[in-house]
Amino acid sequence: MHGCHQEIARWLEPLGAHVRIDAAGNLRGVYPAARPNAPRLLIGSHLDTVSNAGAYDGILGVVLAIALLEELRGRRLPFAIEVVGFSEEEGVRFGTPFIGSRALVGGLAEELLGVQDARGISVRKAIETYGLDPTKISEAELHSDALGYLEFHIEQGPVLEKLNLPLAAVDGIAGQSRLEFVFLGRTNHAGTTPMHLRCDAIAGAAEWISVVERLAREVSGLVATVGKIEAKPGAANVIAGEARLTLDVRHISDEIRVRTVEDLIRQAQELAARRGLTVQESHLLNQPAVAMDSFFIGQIEQAIVQTGCKPHRMASGAGHDAMILAEKVPSAMIFLRTPGGISHDPAESVLQDDVEKAIACGLHLLNQLASSPDFYKRTNRA
Ligand code: GLV
Ligand code: MN
Ligand code: MN
């Protein structure tokens, strides 16, 4: 990440942006406005990735923000542009996503700084090891000069490809729940313990995973995933005494998502009791669905039309920093078509022509906002 920050700073600084890394590890590069003390528009996305990821989820949104500054060719707007490269959006290391963006809305609480990774290293310690000062996190917060947040991102799904459209305005982002479940049984010998006398944590977890999949298939728009499972002691000839798994549940309706999580917890407990196991769950995330800002959506659609494309509105099933920023400032997203709908995989890609259209659309949008009195009048919650 140090190398990534240095590289991005090397691109931003020649464009006239002042770059710093805030205490939550977010890269912040401010391209000044025509006048001092003007308000700012934030444009960005995240710099971290899932393991063995593709090259576009997150970073494309940061690179597009830089491309827009390049396209301005030194022209100053009535507002400053702050390019943001967020840290820790995916939640891979600490199980909790959006750590970087939470710092901007003032939500990086003591509790979150204490969350530990698999090696017992806390968020606070990781920040210190990176060379930053976690006591300065409040300095990362947005103030009333923030006009809004714009994020370009690949769609990460098949919808735009099916519609043969390069771009879309996002109107809402599905809520997410993330939990960890630990099934505990009794470790024993695989050769000598008859089937009816076992308390097999893996077998219990496996039965519950099938319940998760079945339940999600029955509810329209619901997605539920067990993406990680670890068993102990972990040998071919030993019945597992412990199975630890993650659960990720998403739906555009918070009510359906929360009800599903409750149902899955209840079913895990019933199934565990029947098998002589115990199960404990811990909640890592309960992020409500959010609507994107309606003024921005209208402006984005107009910019898409100006680019010569057909506008389209869609919800995002993936989580994004925009859903955190929306707590404090008007926020919006522009999706780019994702070939094959493939993401979180090295095969993730974008079409060069779509990227060119995204830059053109972004430039139209900046010009529209620069001449829109409504843009400056809007109040934010920062
Ligand atoms: C972020 O990629 C997510 O999990 O939605
Ligand atoms: Mn991702
Ligand atoms: Mn992403």
Side-chain angles (χ1 to χ4, degrees):
M1 190 54 83
H2 273 300
C4 176
H5 282 163
Q6 278 164 14
E7 185 67 22
I8 290 178
R10 262 205 298 276
W11 297 347
L12 276 169
E13 278 160 356
L15 300 172
H18 309 287
V19 180
R20 71 179 173 113
I21 309 298
D22 71 23
N26 302 307
L27 179 138
R28 319 271 296 258
V30 179
Y31 178 80
R35 274 183 302 281
N37 303 321
R40 67 187 63 193
L41 171 67
L42 281 78
I43 311 181
S45 190
H46 59 99
L47 295 173
D48 65 316
T49 72
V50 294
S51 310
N52 197 31
Y56 302 93
D57 172 7
I59 185 91
L60 178 70
V62 182
V63 171
L64 278 173
I66 299 169
L68 283 177
L69 295 192
E70 244 171 38
E71 286 297 307
L72 289 175
R73 300 180 202 289
R75 179 161 62 96
R76 304 278 194 224
L77 301 176
F79 49 86
I81 295 175
E82 179 165 2
V83 176
V84 191
F86 288 108
S87 67
E88 287 295 324
E89 186 267 358
E90 300 279 7
V92 173
R93 180 167 176 187
F94 296 99
T96 303
F98 313 122
I99 292 176
S101 42
R102 273 187 212 290
L104 271 71
V105 302
L108 197 53
E110 275 302 300
E111 190 192 336
L112 192 49
L113 288 173
V115 171
Q116 296 182 350
D117 70 7
R119 288 178 298 158
I121 298 168
S122 66
V123 174
R124 180 184 287 102
K125 183 76 195 155
I127 288 172
E128 282 166 0
T129 307
Y130 194 75
L132 298 165
D133 181 354
T135 65
K136 299 218 165 99
I137 277 185
S138 60
E139 292 174 17
E141 274 180 49
L142 296 180
H143 299 291
S144 56
D145 67 340
L147 288 166
Y149 172 66
L150 172 68
E151 179 167 357
F152 290 88
H153 204 287
I154 53 169
E155 178 206 332
Q156 307 181 273
V159 174
L160 289 175
E161 187 172 65
K162 284 263 169 341
L163 293 170
N164 198 22
L165 294 175
L167 303 173
V170 176
D171 54 10
I173 305 179
Q176 312 185 14
S177 297
R178 292 195 200 182
L179 294 91
E180 184 182 67
F181 285 74
V182 184
F183 285 83
L184 294 174
R186 202 170 46 244
T187 303
N188 212 335
H189 197 293
T192 59
T193 317
M195 295 310 287
H196 68 287
L197 295 179
R198 296 176 176 214
C199 297
D200 185 335
I202 289 189
E207 185 182 341
W208 181 72
I209 293 170
S210 308
V211 170
V212 171
E213 192 188 32
R214 196 167 53 244
L215 196 143
R217 280 172 186 255
E218 282 167 5
V219 181
S220 169
L222 181 72
V223 286
T225 309
V226 175
K228 185 174 165 190
I229 173 161
E230 279 167 359
K232 283 186 186 157
N237 60 351
V238 183
I239 298 162
E242 178 182 315
R244 191 173 281 268
L245 33 158
T246 58
L247 175 69
D248 178 307
V249 180
R250 308 187 191 200
H251 199 279
I252 200 74
S253 153
D254 289 335
E255 195 194 323
I256 292 176
R257 175 177 53 84
V258 169
R259 202 172 348 113
T260 300
V261 169
E262 285 166 2
D263 198 8
L264 288 172
I265 292 171
R266 188 181 47 74
Q267 296 214 45
Q269 283 160 350
E270 282 173 10
L271 173 160
R274 176 163 44 77
R275 286 173 163 271
L277 308 170
T278 60
V279 63
Q280 279 173 349
E281 77 284 348
S282 42
H283 294 254
L284 300 172
L285 180 75
N286 176 10
Q287 182 66 44
V290 296
M292 295 288 94
D293 180 75
S294 56
F295 169 82
F296 266 133
I297 294 173
Q299 292 288 322
I300 288 170
E301 285 182 331
Q302 203 177 313
I304 290 176
V305 171
Q306 289 294 316
T307 309
C309 304
K310 196 170 152 225
H312 180 70
R313 282 185 194 197
M314 62 181 294
S316 171
H320 297 287
D321 295 302
M323 70 195 304
I324 304 301
L325 273 283
E327 288 173 21
K328 220 160 182 183
V329 290
S331 297
M333 293 191 73
I334 298 175
F335 268 175
L336 283 79
R337 157 169 52 193
T338 306
I342 294 173
S343 184
H344 282 182
D345 183 271
E348 187 180 270
S349 64
V350 280
L351 303 176
Q352 188 175 326
D353 190 55
D354 292 357
V355 174
E356 286 169 16
K357 288 198 167 73
I359 295 170
C361 171
L363 206 53
H364 285 300
L365 180 63
L366 290 180
N367 289 332
Q368 284 164 216
L369 296 176
S371 59
S372 160
D374 288 347
F375 181 47
Y376 306 100
K377 269 196 236 133
R378 287 141 26 90
T379 53
N380 67 48
R381 299 173 285 283

